[in-house]
Amino acid sequence: MHQSSWKSRRHRRRGHRHNAWFRPHGSNERKDAGAQQSPQGSSDGHGEAPSTSSTAGSSSVPDLPGYYFDPEKKRYFRLLPGHNNCNPLTKESIRQKEMERKRLRLLEEEEQQGKKIARLGFNASSLLQKSKLGFLNATSYCRLAHELRVSCMQRKKVQIQSSDPSALASDQFNLIMADTNSDRLFSVNDVKVGGSKYGIISLHGLKTPTFRVHMHENLYFTNRKVNAMCWASLNHLDSHVLLCLMGIAETPGCATLLPTSLFVSNHAAGDRPGMLCSFRIPGAWSCAWSLNIQANNCFSTGLSRRVLVTSVVTGHRQSFGTSSDVLTQQFAVTAPLLFNGCRSGEIFAIDLRCQNQGKGWKATRLFHDSAVTSVQILQEEQRLMASDMAGMIKLWDLRTTKCIRQYEGHVNEYAHLPLHVHEEEGIMVAVGQDCYTRIWSLHDGQLLRTIPSPYPTSKADIPSVAFSSRLGGARGAPGLLMAVRQDLYCFSYS
């Protein structure tokens, strides 16, 4: 009798301890958990994507394998396999839900809060006061003023005018690229029926408060993917666009020089549009146009384990063998060098004075831990900015071949994402794989601004951006253009 009652009491105590793991916390426990939660846990963290275990960790709830604790319903739910057809609860769906909630919160904050502070203690009045007191020199004052204006940029939707409005409603932006004078925007649009088509957007009407631009006639349509593109100065500055097209079926890949005059519908009398040139170069990952006098009218293409430098006038080619795929390229202007970033993580410079059969044509070698997706040479050509597929952005000193600064916050795992460096404003812009646009200070790597996408995060909807100090031409104001889906947005200096 006593033995059976002792066993029943022991069994009840076991059940009490076992069920405590699955019971929601009481009011006292919730108060303790809220008191222990730090203020930093509720901040946006400059737009970084949350982890799936952050909710359980912040509420002091045990993380049980195979279960997810919902803080709203105060109970555990079982994680189901992702291949189920009944809309199961998976870690990926939880992560997407948390990211979308965070994006909507950031969008609401951007609309409500007109002015933000990029650095603590630096607003317009304090900046002016420190300058008058002599605490800031002219260079520092201009740099901090630019940073302050970047943090205050507000999003405005741009009205696109075209002779075919129905196409604007269905075609989606894939890539945009501003020319040197920032009065034109070349765009690659994905067509609903499949393939891509090109257009040139005139930015002369990009002024407050209207923000209107005009899309010139899209005369060319292709069903091949555009792997890379850049502006080419063959007849004059930015007279052509160099496109690397992927091969399809029996049609090999090629590099095409597309004259921008082909997009103008009305030509003056006797003025004929330029000729379209095509070069059979299969499998090009990247391209670059040379403004160096020692490689005049030449362009480069990065292939699988090879670099080709081609003269447009003579057709002569130089071939340089590499050990990896070349994903990004840029020519130096003063020095006869071509910088290349590879899938292996290596960055090397080719001395264009050396023949392809010669030795020692690798002038500089730098190394990342992941595939390099973008290289940008700074104006003095003594430093180089590079990003990779691990989300690392590094500033390299080309004289000492050492990394002198890192820029934190970029998100990338596998995408081929570009960098946009603007030394005049002292900023750098990059769009992450999480669809957030981030702006850093070149001076010290401070993250100045994190801009969420106006649409939910998706691999197919990563925004394409272009920043310029003179949007719309010589009299334009600095600002950022963002293209996502069918829409074009402008973030201008206020």
Side-chain angles (χ1 to χ4, degrees), residues 21-252:
W21 291 89
F22 293 89
R23 285 203 316 271
H25 290 281
S27 59
N28 295 331
E29 292 174 341
R30 284 196 297 269
K31 289 178 182 177
D32 295 340
Q36 292 174 3
Q37 190 175 5
S38 64
Q40 293 179 355
S42 62
S43 65
D44 57 4
H46 297 294
E48 298 307 313
S51 63
T52 56
S53 61
S54 62
T55 307
S58 62
S59 359
S60 302
V61 178
D63 190 7
L64 300 181
Y67 288 87
Y68 162 70
F69 183 80
D70 193 323
E72 296 177 357
K73 298 183 179 179
K74 304 297 180 184
R75 57 171 292 189
Y76 284 92
F77 291 92
R78 186 180 176 185
L79 293 173
L80 301 178
H83 62 271
N84 209 332
N85 294 326
C86 58
N87 191 18
L89 185 66
T90 63
K91 287 188 176 181
E92 183 64 25
S93 65
I94 295 168
R95 181 174 175 271
Q96 290 290 337
K97 184 179 178 181
E98 290 179 353
M99 289 179 65
E100 178 61 14
R101 191 180 303 163
K102 187 172 188 177
R103 186 189 69 86
L104 293 175
R105 187 179 71 248
L106 289 177
L107 281 175
E108 186 178 355
E109 289 176 1
E110 291 231 343
E111 292 177 359
Q112 293 178 353
Q113 188 176 2
K115 294 185 178 181
K116 297 184 177 181
I117 304 301
R119 296 178 186 269
L120 260 134
F122 280 95
N123 51 27
S125 58
S126 65
L127 195 64
L128 188 61
Q129 185 178 5
K130 289 179 181 181
S131 175
K132 288 181 178 179
L133 293 174
F135 295 136
L136 293 174
N137 56 29
T139 305
S140 299
Y141 176 78
C142 291
R143 175 176 57 83
L144 292 172
H146 275 299
E147 293 180 3
L148 188 62
R149 298 182 75 179
V150 163
S151 64
C152 297
M153 294 189 306
Q154 294 185 356
R155 185 183 73 218
K156 302 292 183 183
K157 191 171 181 179
V158 180
Q159 182 182 353
I160 306 175
Q161 298 176 338
S162 174
S163 58
D164 188 8
S166 61
L168 294 176
S170 59
D171 302 342
Q172 295 195 15
F173 283 104
N174 186 10
L175 297 168
I176 60 172
M177 179 178 60
D179 65 355
T180 305
N181 296 325
S182 301
D183 55 3
R184 293 177 302 171
L185 199 70
F186 183 80
S187 67
V188 178
N189 295 64
D190 292 334
V191 184
K192 190 174 182 180
V193 296
S196 302
K197 68 178 182 181
Y198 318 129
I200 286 186
I201 300 175
S202 174
L203 301 178
H204 289 293
L206 196 65
K207 298 176 183 177
T208 55
T210 54
F211 289 103
R212 289 194 187 98
V213 295
H214 181 77
M215 170 82 80
H216 287 283
E217 295 289 338
N218 294 324
L219 302 179
Y220 286 89
F221 174 87
T222 178
N223 58 354
R224 291 191 282 178
K225 179 185 175 183
V226 178
N227 275 351
M229 65 180 187
C230 67
W231 289 97
S233 303
L234 184 58
N235 300 335
H236 52 82
L237 183 64
D238 299 336
S239 62
H240 291 67
V241 176
L242 178 62
L243 299 170
C244 289
L245 303 178
M246 195 178 212
I248 182 172
E250 297 180 357
T251 306

